[in-house]
PDB file of all heavy atoms in Angstrom:
ATOM      1  N   TYR A 752      51.565 -10.583  13.205  1.00 82.00           N
ATOM      2  CA  TYR A 752      51.974  -9.877  14.380  1.00 82.00           C
ATOM      3  C   TYR A 752      51.572  -8.371  14.206  1.00 82.00           C
ATOM      4  O   TYR A 752      51.605  -7.844  13.137  1.00 82.00           O
ATOM      5  CB  TYR A 752      53.531  -9.959  14.549  1.00 82.00           C
ATOM      6  CG  TYR A 752      54.021  -9.118  15.672  1.00 82.00           C
ATOM      7  CD1 TYR A 752      53.896  -9.548  17.023  1.00 82.00           C
ATOM      8  CD2 TYR A 752      54.599  -7.887  15.420  1.00 82.00           C
ATOM      9  CE1 TYR A 752      54.361  -8.727  18.049  1.00 82.00           C
ATOM     10  CE2 TYR A 752      55.046  -7.047  16.438  1.00 82.00           C
ATOM     11  CZ  TYR A 752      54.939  -7.516  17.728  1.00 82.00           C
ATOM     12  OH  TYR A 752      55.377  -6.719  18.732  1.00 82.00           O
ATOM     13  N   GLU A 753      51.188  -7.752  15.328  1.00 82.00           N
ATOM     14  CA  GLU A 753      50.838  -6.337  15.195  1.00 82.00           C
ATOM     15  C   GLU A 753      51.105  -5.697  16.560  1.00 82.00           C
ATOM     16  O   GLU A 753      50.689  -6.180  17.570  1.00 82.00           O
ATOM     17  CB  GLU A 753      49.452  -6.199  14.798  1.00 82.00           C
ATOM     18  CG  GLU A 753      48.997  -4.690  14.636  1.00 82.00           C
ATOM     19  CD  GLU A 753      47.675  -4.524  14.013  1.00 82.00           C
ATOM     20  OE1 GLU A 753      46.884  -5.444  13.945  1.00 82.00           O
ATOM     21  OE2 GLU A 753      47.380  -3.402  13.556  1.00 82.00           O
ATOM     22  N   ASP A 754      51.746  -4.536  16.469  1.00 82.00           N
ATOM     23  CA  ASP A 754      51.750  -3.699  17.709  1.00 82.00           C
ATOM     24  C   ASP A 754      51.536  -2.273  17.279  1.00 82.00           C
ATOM     25  O   ASP A 754      51.152  -1.967  16.133  1.00 82.00           O
ATOM     26  CB  ASP A 754      53.033  -3.870  18.531  1.00 82.00           C
ATOM     27  CG  ASP A 754      54.231  -3.482  17.772  1.00 82.00           C
ATOM     28  OD1 ASP A 754      54.143  -2.713  16.753  1.00 82.00           O
ATOM     29  OD2 ASP A 754      55.375  -3.968  18.100  1.00 82.00           O
ATOM     30  N   SER A 755      51.820  -1.299  18.192  1.00 79.00           N
ATOM     31  CA  SER A 755      51.473   0.097  17.828  1.00 79.00           C
ATOM     32  C   SER A 755      52.357   0.616  16.696  1.00 79.00           C
ATOM     33  O   SER A 755      52.035   1.616  16.064  1.00 79.00           O
ATOM     34  CB  SER A 755      51.716   0.945  19.024  1.00 79.00           C
ATOM     35  OG  SER A 755      52.994   0.711  19.574  1.00 79.00           O
ATOM     36  N   HIS A 756      53.519  -0.007  16.375  1.00 79.00           N
ATOM     37  CA  HIS A 756      54.307   0.478  15.342  1.00 79.00           C
ATOM     38  C   HIS A 756      54.332  -0.338  14.041  1.00 79.00           C
ATOM     39  O   HIS A 756      54.293   0.158  12.940  1.00 79.00           O
ATOM     40  CB  HIS A 756      55.782   0.596  15.760  1.00 79.00           C
ATOM     41  CG  HIS A 756      55.950   1.647  16.844  1.00 79.00           C
ATOM     42  ND1 HIS A 756      55.474   1.477  18.148  1.00 79.00           N
ATOM     43  CD2 HIS A 756      56.472   2.887  16.753  1.00 79.00           C
ATOM     44  CE1 HIS A 756      55.758   2.613  18.791  1.00 79.00           C
ATOM     45  NE2 HIS A 756      56.379   3.443  18.040  1.00 79.00           N
ATOM     46  N   LEU A 757      54.370  -1.621  14.304  1.00 81.00           N
ATOM     47  CA  LEU A 757      54.614  -2.502  13.159  1.00 81.00           C
ATOM     48  C   LEU A 757      53.423  -3.465  12.972  1.00 81.00           C
ATOM     49  O   LEU A 757      52.828  -3.918  13.947  1.00 81.00           O
ATOM     50  CB  LEU A 757      55.867  -3.307  13.486  1.00 81.00           C
ATOM     51  CG  LEU A 757      56.274  -4.390  12.410  1.00 81.00           C
ATOM     52  CD1 LEU A 757      56.834  -3.670  11.191  1.00 81.00           C
ATOM     53  CD2 LEU A 757      57.301  -5.360  12.994  1.00 81.00           C
ATOM     54  N   GLN A 758      53.096  -3.671  11.737  1.00 82.00           N
ATOM     55  CA  GLN A 758      52.103  -4.678  11.467  1.00 82.00           C
ATOM     56  C   GLN A 758      52.738  -5.707  10.511  1.00 82.00           C
ATOM     57  O   GLN A 758      53.330  -5.252   9.525  1.00 82.00           O
ATOM     58  CB  GLN A 758      50.807  -4.102  10.922  1.00 82.00           C
ATOM     59  CG  GLN A 758      49.770  -5.093  10.721  1.00 82.00           C
ATOM     60  CD  GLN A 758      48.485  -4.536  10.169  1.00 82.00           C
ATOM     61  OE1 GLN A 758      48.582  -3.778   9.231  1.00 82.00           O
ATOM     62  NE2 GLN A 758      47.388  -4.803  10.744  1.00 82.00           N
ATOM     63  N   VAL A 759      52.646  -6.940  10.812  1.00 83.00           N
ATOM     64  CA  VAL A 759      53.209  -7.947   9.890  1.00 83.00           C
ATOM     65  C   VAL A 759      52.021  -8.776   9.518  1.00 83.00           C
ATOM     66  O   VAL A 759      51.444  -9.501  10.280  1.00 83.00           O
ATOM     67  CB  VAL A 759      54.299  -8.756  10.591  1.00 83.00           C
ATOM     68  CG1 VAL A 759      54.861  -9.693   9.600  1.00 83.00           C
ATOM     69  CG2 VAL A 759      55.378  -7.860  11.212  1.00 83.00           C
ATOM     70  N   GLY A 760      51.763  -8.716   8.223  1.00 84.00           N
ATOM     71  CA  GLY A 760      50.694  -9.567   7.672  1.00 84.00           C
ATOM     72  C   GLY A 760      51.377 -10.779   7.039  1.00 84.00           C
ATOM     73  O   GLY A 760      52.601 -10.846   6.810  1.00 84.00           O
ATOM     74  N   MET A 761      50.548 -11.797   6.698  1.00 83.00           N
ATOM     75  CA  MET A 761      51.147 -12.912   6.135  1.00 83.00           C
ATOM     76  C   MET A 761      50.198 -13.547   5.157  1.00 83.00           C
ATOM     77  O   MET A 761      48.968 -13.520   5.281  1.00 83.00           O
ATOM     78  CB  MET A 761      51.416 -13.901   7.301  1.00 83.00           C
ATOM     79  CG  MET A 761      52.166 -15.096   6.875  1.00 83.00           C
ATOM     80  SD  MET A 761      52.324 -16.172   8.241  1.00 83.00           S
ATOM     81  CE  MET A 761      53.944 -16.033   8.653  1.00 83.00           C
ATOM     82  N   LYS A 762      50.817 -14.105   4.106  1.00 83.00           N
ATOM     83  CA  LYS A 762      50.042 -14.790   3.139  1.00 83.00           C
ATOM     84  C   LYS A 762      50.695 -16.087   2.840  1.00 83.00           C
ATOM     85  O   LYS A 762      51.911 -16.145   2.667  1.00 83.00           O
ATOM     86  CB  LYS A 762      49.966 -13.981   1.839  1.00 83.00           C
ATOM     87  CG  LYS A 762      48.549 -13.713   1.395  1.00 83.00           C
ATOM     88  CD  LYS A 762      48.574 -12.676   0.221  1.00 83.00           C
ATOM     89  CE  LYS A 762      48.072 -13.331  -0.973  1.00 83.00           C
ATOM     90  NZ  LYS A 762      46.892 -14.121  -0.883  1.00 83.00           N
ATOM     91  N   LEU A 763      49.961 -17.131   2.789  1.00 81.00           N
ATOM     92  CA  LEU A 763      50.584 -18.456   2.614  1.00 81.00           C
ATOM     93  C   LEU A 763      50.007 -19.165   1.405  1.00 81.00           C
ATOM     94  O   LEU A 763      48.814 -19.080   1.162  1.00 81.00           O
ATOM     95  CB  LEU A 763      50.383 -19.322   3.778  1.00 81.00           C
ATOM     96  CG  LEU A 763      50.793 -18.769   5.149  1.00 81.00           C
ATOM     97  CD1 LEU A 763      49.528 -18.361   5.937  1.00 81.00           C
ATOM     98  CD2 LEU A 763      51.663 -19.755   5.976  1.00 81.00           C
ATOM     99  N   THR A 764      50.873 -19.729   0.631  1.00 81.00           N
ATOM    100  CA  THR A 764      50.378 -20.620  -0.461  1.00 81.00           C
ATOM    101  C   THR A 764      51.218 -21.890  -0.382  1.00 81.00           C
ATOM    102  O   THR A 764      52.422 -21.847  -0.069  1.00 81.00           O
ATOM    103  CB  THR A 764      50.625 -20.083  -1.833  1.00 81.00           C
ATOM    104  OG1 THR A 764      51.869 -19.543  -1.934  1.00 81.00           O
ATOM    105  CG2 THR A 764      49.572 -18.933  -2.103  1.00 81.00           C
ATOM    106  N   PHE A 765      50.524 -23.050  -0.649  1.00 78.00           N
ATOM    107  CA  PHE A 765      51.295 -24.252  -0.508  1.00 78.00           C
ATOM    108  C   PHE A 765      51.026 -25.080  -1.757  1.00 78.00           C
ATOM    109  O   PHE A 765      49.996 -25.028  -2.384  1.00 78.00           O
ATOM    110  CB  PHE A 765      50.765 -25.099   0.704  1.00 78.00           C
ATOM    111  CG  PHE A 765      51.136 -24.345   1.961  1.00 78.00           C
ATOM    112  CD1 PHE A 765      50.284 -23.462   2.582  1.00 78.00           C
ATOM    113  CD2 PHE A 765      52.331 -24.631   2.573  1.00 78.00           C
ATOM    114  CE1 PHE A 765      50.687 -22.813   3.722  1.00 78.00           C
ATOM    115  CE2 PHE A 765      52.736 -23.993   3.723  1.00 78.00           C
ATOM    116  CZ  PHE A 765      51.862 -23.057   4.309  1.00 78.00           C
ATOM    117  N   GLN A 766      52.052 -25.832  -2.043  1.00 76.00           N
ATOM    118  CA  GLN A 766      51.967 -26.779  -3.187  1.00 76.00           C
ATOM    119  C   GLN A 766      52.755 -28.036  -2.762  1.00 76.00           C
ATOM    120  O   GLN A 766      53.979 -27.962  -2.820  1.00 76.00           O
ATOM    121  CB  GLN A 766      52.448 -26.149  -4.454  1.00 76.00           C
ATOM    122  CG  GLN A 766      52.239 -27.071  -5.641  1.00 76.00           C
ATOM    123  CD  GLN A 766      52.644 -26.369  -6.922  1.00 76.00           C
ATOM    124  OE1 GLN A 766      53.162 -25.260  -6.932  1.00 76.00           O
ATOM    125  NE2 GLN A 766      52.448 -27.077  -8.018  1.00 76.00           N
ATOM    126  N   GLY A 767      52.086 -29.089  -2.405  1.00 74.00           N
ATOM    127  CA  GLY A 767      52.817 -30.281  -1.960  1.00 74.00           C
ATOM    128  C   GLY A 767      53.672 -29.848  -0.740  1.00 74.00           C
ATOM    129  O   GLY A 767      53.258 -29.309   0.182  1.00 74.00           O
TER     130      GLY A 767
END
Side-chain angles (χ1 to χ4, degrees):
Chain A
Y752 172 79
E753 181 170 17
D754 62 23
S755 52
H756 291 73
L757 178 73
Q758 185 179 47
V759 184
M761 187 183 253
K762 236 171 113 48
L763 308 104
T764 49
F765 293 90
Q766 184 176 4

